[in-house]
Amino acid sequence: MEQQRKRMLSGIKPTGKLTLGNYIGAIKQFISYQDEYELLVFIADLHALTLPIDPKELRENTKNLISIYLACGLDPEKVILFKQSDVHEHAELGYVMTCNSNMGELSRMTQYKDKTAKISNKESIPTGIFIYPALMAADILLYDPDYVPVGIDQKQHVELTRDLALKFNSHYSETFKLPEPVIAKTGAKIASLSNPTKKMSKSESDKGTIYLLDDVNISRKKIMSAVTDSDSIVKYDLENKPGISNLLTIASSLSKKSIEEIENEFVGKGYGEFKKYVADIVVDELSLLQQKVKEIQESGIIDKVLAAGAEKASYLARKKLNKVYTKIGLRKR
Ligand code: TYM
């Protein structure tokens, strides 16, 4: 008998422009899993509402994100590719998970603490940022995945998902599978080029962030002026050489070479040459990606892909939500 494939699920929210961090930390991982696992990948558009966003921008970001998924090689024949808001069960289970969580659990989330630290008037903190991990838990638990591939910044949210699932299971009997986060060995935290001890982030538009669809010449310039250190040895050393280590990670993730091989190639050579090498790799990769994105957007397949994905995802989500609603007493047994 054929063994059932393990299931994997992940998503990206369409806020701001997608970065090289999202690409290496998430999208590239998804591609590598699509043959081995039963994979669901979605556009977490409800999550984009946690901070104010212009509707036009949200539509544009959504279109770009699905195009990037396809351009990178996610195959809609193999992967269930969909938009979260097309499957209303996400919002419904999200509400159930919010009720299944408490203030302590949600206020302990590092991302919540980081994001709200910058807001001086605490009264104005949008409630969405606070409850969003409960919606993320629902996104995951609706489909009972075995694994959730994410960058390091999202690991804590997957752990919270496990806690919420456990709590629900022990209260109402076994309902949800406990998912495991999968963190890539290299590239799980691509750092900012201008501040290499911090994450490269799409919410901070600065010279440290490479945007996938930006003019590649801008990206080249950003890499050439990446912050490094005062010696000139190309060596991976996260603590003492975070900038060089980040560039090595980027180059290795986008090429078939290991970090060690790249280090060896640059023995006795300067940072200028090394940066040019990294910039060439990034620019080649992004130029190709942008060309494919353009073709996809012109092909008119996006709506069809999303409609087919929503149908498949809805089937699974509906079954699960019915089960949950029955257990908690919203439906007759
Ligand atoms: P989001 O949209 O912020 O990021 C999407 C994915 O990209 C990873 N990532 C990075 N990886 C490496 N280096 C970086 N600098 C970097 N920046 C971002 C993130 O870890 C993530 O894997 N809440 C999620 C989206 C989401 C989700 C889900 C994910 C909603 N529901 C269910 C998994 C399962 C988010 O905001 O990710």
Side-chain angles (χ1 to χ4, degrees):
M1 208 176 76
E2 201 196 327
Q3 220 190 337
Q4 245 215 317
R5 284 187 305 164
K6 297 269 189 195
R7 185 177 285 176
M8 232 179 206
L9 167 136
S10 198
I12 297 182
K13 64 176 184 295
T15 42
K17 300 187 283 184
L18 278 207
T19 71
L20 195 62
N22 299 129
Y23 185 66
I24 295 175
I27 304 175
K28 279 220 139 231
Q29 315 297 325
F30 304 164
I31 315 291
S32 71
Y33 294 129
Q34 67 180 343
D35 290 312
E36 199 180 333
Y37 295 92
E38 187 190 344
L39 184 63
L40 293 102
V41 175
F42 67 100
I43 297 171
D45 56 350
L46 294 174
H47 288 274
L49 306 179
T50 49
L51 288 172
I53 184 163
D54 174 50
K56 199 165 144 244
E57 193 189 327
L58 179 53
R59 278 188 205 104
E60 185 67 20
N61 292 346
T62 303
K63 183 174 98 184
N64 285 339
L65 179 50
I66 182 71
S67 312
I68 288 171
Y69 280 159
L70 293 168
C72 292
L74 276 183
D75 178 352
E77 299 292 321
K78 296 181 188 159
V79 182
I80 302 184
L81 265 178
F82 66 102
K83 203 165 69 157
Q84 184 189 27
S85 64
D86 282 342
V87 182
H88 58 79
E89 287 81 0
H90 285 252
E92 292 175 68
L93 188 64
Y95 178 70
V96 173
M97 282 301 139
T98 301
C99 296
N100 183 40
S101 63
N102 58 47
M103 303 287 284
E105 283 162 332
L106 297 182
S107 30
R108 275 193 291 278
M109 293 296 108
T110 314
Q111 205 176 61
Y112 169 74
K113 288 196 265 186
D114 288 351
K115 282 199 170 162
T116 53
K118 295 177 208 145
I119 303 176
S120 52
N121 175 10
K122 298 298 174 207
E123 298 265 305
S124 70
I125 295 173
T127 318
I129 317 188
F130 185 62
I131 59 166
Y132 119 99
L135 177 59
M136 178 161 164
D139 298 336
I140 298 171
L141 298 175
L142 264 181
Y143 302 95
D144 280 333
D146 300 276
Y147 303 113
V148 180
V150 282
I152 282 180
D153 62 324
Q154 293 295 331
K155 186 167 177 251
Q156 196 186 26
H157 293 155
V158 182
E159 285 162 356
L160 173 75
T161 302
R162 287 174 64 91
D163 292 344
L164 296 181
L166 256 178
K167 205 197 286 185
F168 190 101
N169 286 352
S170 56
H171 198 262
Y172 296 103
S173 82
E174 197 63 27
T175 309
F176 299 116
K177 193 177 248 180
L178 303 191
E180 272 179 47
V182 177
I183 313 292
K185 279 190 210 81
T186 27
K189 185 182 171 191
I190 299 298
S192 156
L193 299 175
S194 54
N195 188 354
T197 53
K198 283 190 124 177
K199 176 181 94 155
M200 183 183 282
S201 149
K202 57 190 163 192
S203 50
E204 272 164 58
S205 102
D206 73 303
K207 52 188 189 308
T209 304
I210 301 281
Y211 297 106
L212 299 181
L213 300 184
D214 266 7
D215 180 342
V216 289
N217 293 316
I218 298 178
S219 301
R220 178 181 292 281
K221 279 198 195 121
K222 287 179 178 173
I223 295 173
M224 293 310 292
S225 45
V227 167
T228 51
D229 50 68
S230 54
D231 69 25
S232 57
I233 301 159
V234 177
K235 182 106 198 105
Y236 189 91
D237 176 348
L238 208 48
E239 203 174 314
N240 300 307
K241 300 165 82 65
I244 289 294
S245 304
N246 190 39
L247 292 175
L248 276 166
T249 304
I250 292 173
S252 166
S253 307
L254 298 182
S255 64
K256 296 217 159 45
K257 292 185 184 161
S258 67
I259 287 181
E260 213 180 357
E261 276 174 277
I262 303 173
E263 284 172 350
N264 289 337
E265 271 180 44
F266 284 90
V267 172
K269 297 181 186 167
Y271 283 173
E273 211 175 322
F274 173 58
K275 282 181 175 176
K276 183 172 176 307
Y277 169 81
V278 181
D280 284 344
I281 293 180
V282 172
V283 164
D284 283 354
E285 181 102 5
L286 296 190
S287 305
L288 194 65
L289 178 74
Q290 291 177 7
Q291 176 57 31
K292 287 195 192 146
V293 163
K294 190 163 166 274
E295 284 164 18
I296 283 161
Q297 296 194 342
E298 285 164 2
S299 73
I301 62 164
I302 292 177
D303 289 347
K304 285 180 212 132
V305 167
L306 288 179
E311 201 181 316
K312 290 182 208 157
S314 294
Y315 172 77
L316 299 169
R318 200 178 315 126
K319 274 206 312 198
K320 192 73 187 182
L321 189 71
N322 271 333
K323 202 168 171 184
V324 171
Y325 274 7
T326 306
K327 292 216 177 184
I328 59 185
L330 294 173
R331 295 260 191 282
K332 276 197 222 146
R333 277 212 168 273

